[in-house]
Amino acid sequence: MPEGDTVWQAARRLHDALAGDVLIRSDFRVPRYATADLTGRTVLDVTARGKHLLTRVEGGLTVHSHLRMDGSWKVFAAGQRWSGGPAHQIRVVLGTAARTAVGYRLPVLEILRTADEERAVGHLGPDLLGPDWDADLALANLRADPARPLGEALLDQRNLAGIGNVYKSELCFLLGVTPWLPVGDLPDPHAVKVPALAKKLLEANRDRPVRRTTGLRGQDLFVYGRASRPCLRCGTPVRVANQGDGSRERPTYWCPACQPGPAPRPGGYAGTRPRRGAS
């Protein structure tokens, strides 16, 4: 699933391509909006809210989309061949005289009144890359359920918006704890660092084509995607196991030496329990 920095980059690309220009093409390829037509309206701005994209157009309307696991927005120059997937995967086309934005495999796509955007994103916690960022509120949200495993709490967009599976694993490594540690067991000096550290990582990567958390040349990430490879700090093989996020299990990476604490047991998962999450 794209994380907050990736969605922020997508919003910037769409904004740069469309904002300030009049739509001359509007093609929604989902049944609910098959007859919708935004042509003749000026695109006002494109904004990221956590992992959500809000494309606002003249007349008080917003195109709300969410990429989930496989969705993407591609921008093409006029006359350029589209190359984001087969035609049957296209969900929406928004075009101006100079640029065309094509949304592929978008699992969430709807047209809202701009005044009603909170219906789609009002449940989200403070946005790590947004103007509403509030570190104290984010920390309070995380601590509201002290028995919940830290990894699950970080992924819950109602606590703070923008963290995905990569940053979850990397944050827990940098904090020196396992993703299965209950939030309430996180020592205060570590807990108070979580919001600022998360914001630092996303801000550092929002302008980069390749995500980096290590500062080491040739090694972009400390643990994510490094199962069975040596830890960059201590050499212990990195482990991987599934951890729920409230809606599905996700691969989670950690170093058992650098991150002491609860870990999955054979045939089960340490510290996990069924819970409904939010994206």
Side-chain angles (χ1 to χ4, degrees), residues 20 41 45 59 71 79 90 122 169 209 234 268 275:
R41 299 174 187 259
D45 68 83
I90 295 174
S169 295
C234 73
R275 187 183 181 93

Side-chain angles (χ1 to χ4, degrees), residues 13-31:
R13 288 194 303 272
L14 290 169
H15 182 88
D16 291 346
L18 303 177
D21 292 332
V22 176
L23 291 174
I24 63 172
R25 182 168 185 179
S26 167
D27 182 5
F28 287 83
R29 303 184 183 181
V30 293

Side-chain angles (χ1 to χ4, degrees), residues 1 71-72 77 86 95-96 103 105 111 119 132 143-144 166 186 245 269:
M1 177 183 289
S72 69
T96 68
R105 301 172 298 278
I111 300 174
R119 179 171 66 79
D132 69 315
R143 284 175 154 172
V166 177
L186 189 64
D245 69 346
Y269 306 111

Side-chain angles (χ1 to χ4, degrees), residues 106-119:
L106 299 175
V108 175
L109 179 65
E110 61 179 340
I111 300 174
L112 306 169
R113 291 179 56 203
T114 301
D116 295 334
E117 285 179 357
E118 286 298 292
R119 179 171 66 79

Side-chain angles (χ1 to χ4, degrees), residues 11-230:
R12 183 175 61 180
R13 288 194 303 272
L14 290 169
H15 182 88
D16 291 346
L18 303 177
D21 292 332
V22 176
L23 291 174
I24 63 172
R25 182 168 185 179
S26 167
D27 182 5
F28 287 83
R29 303 184 183 181
V30 293
R32 183 179 178 186
Y33 299 107
T35 61
D37 185 4
L38 301 182
T39 57
R41 299 174 187 259
T42 299
V43 177
L44 302 178
D45 68 83
V46 183
T47 299
R49 180 72 172 84
K51 300 180 186 181
H52 298 250
L53 284 164
L54 302 170
T55 302
R56 302 180 179 115
V57 300
E58 187 180 23
L61 296 178
T62 295
V63 178
H64 167 231
S65 59
H66 194 299
L67 306 181
R68 294 277 171 87
M69 295 298 294
D70 301 316
S72 69
W73 278 95
K74 302 289 185 180
V75 175
F76 305 97
Q80 183 181 0
R81 183 177 180 180
W82 300 350
S83 56
H88 72 267
Q89 293 182 348
I90 295 174
R91 300 294 177 261
V92 61
V93 180
L94 298 175
T96 68
R99 297 284 187 273
T100 300
V102 184
Y104 290 88
R105 301 172 298 278
L106 299 175
V108 175
L109 179 65
E110 61 179 340
I111 300 174
L112 306 169
R113 291 179 56 203
T114 301
D116 295 334
E117 285 179 357
E118 286 298 292
R119 179 171 66 79
V121 297
H123 66 285
L124 298 175
D127 187 344
L128 284 154
L129 295 178
D132 69 315
W133 173 245
D134 184 329
D136 292 337
L137 178 57
L139 181 59
N141 290 343
L142 289 169
R143 284 175 154 172
D145 187 352
R148 194 175 193 187
L150 178 61
E152 287 187 20
L154 289 172
L155 283 181
D156 191 332
Q157 303 300 293
R158 295 169 298 188
N159 291 332
L160 65 172
I163 293 177
N165 213 34
V166 177
Y167 283 120
K168 175 194 75 173
S169 295
E170 295 295 292
L171 275 167
C172 289
F173 178 83
L174 291 169
L175 291 167
V177 299
T178 77
W180 290 271
L181 182 74
V183 172
D185 292 347
L186 189 64
D188 276 349
H190 290 71
V192 297
K193 292 180 181 178
V194 174
L197 182 56
K199 184 173 179 63
K200 180 179 179 180
L201 288 179
L202 267 73
E203 284 190 333
N205 284 288
R206 69 180 183 183
D207 294 315
R208 292 175 178 168
V210 177
R211 184 180 290 129
R212 296 189 182 96
T213 61
T214 68
L216 304 174
R217 180 175 295 180
Q219 302 288 354
D220 296 325
L221 302 173
F222 280 111
V223 289
Y224 188 85
R226 292 181 52 83
S228 301
R229 296 171 64 186

Side-chain angles (χ1 to χ4, degrees), residues 212-266:
R212 296 189 182 96
T213 61
T214 68
L216 304 174
R217 180 175 295 180
Q219 302 288 354
D220 296 325
L221 302 173
F222 280 111
V223 289
Y224 188 85
R226 292 181 52 83
S228 301
R229 296 171 64 186
C231 172
L232 297 179
R233 282 186 176 170
C234 73
T236 301
V238 171
R239 294 184 60 190
V240 61
N242 285 334
Q243 183 181 40
D245 69 346
S247 62
R248 60 182 296 171
E249 300 295 326
R250 301 185 184 279
T252 299
Y253 300 83
W254 82 105
C255 171
C258 293
Q259 297 171 258
R265 301 183 299 274

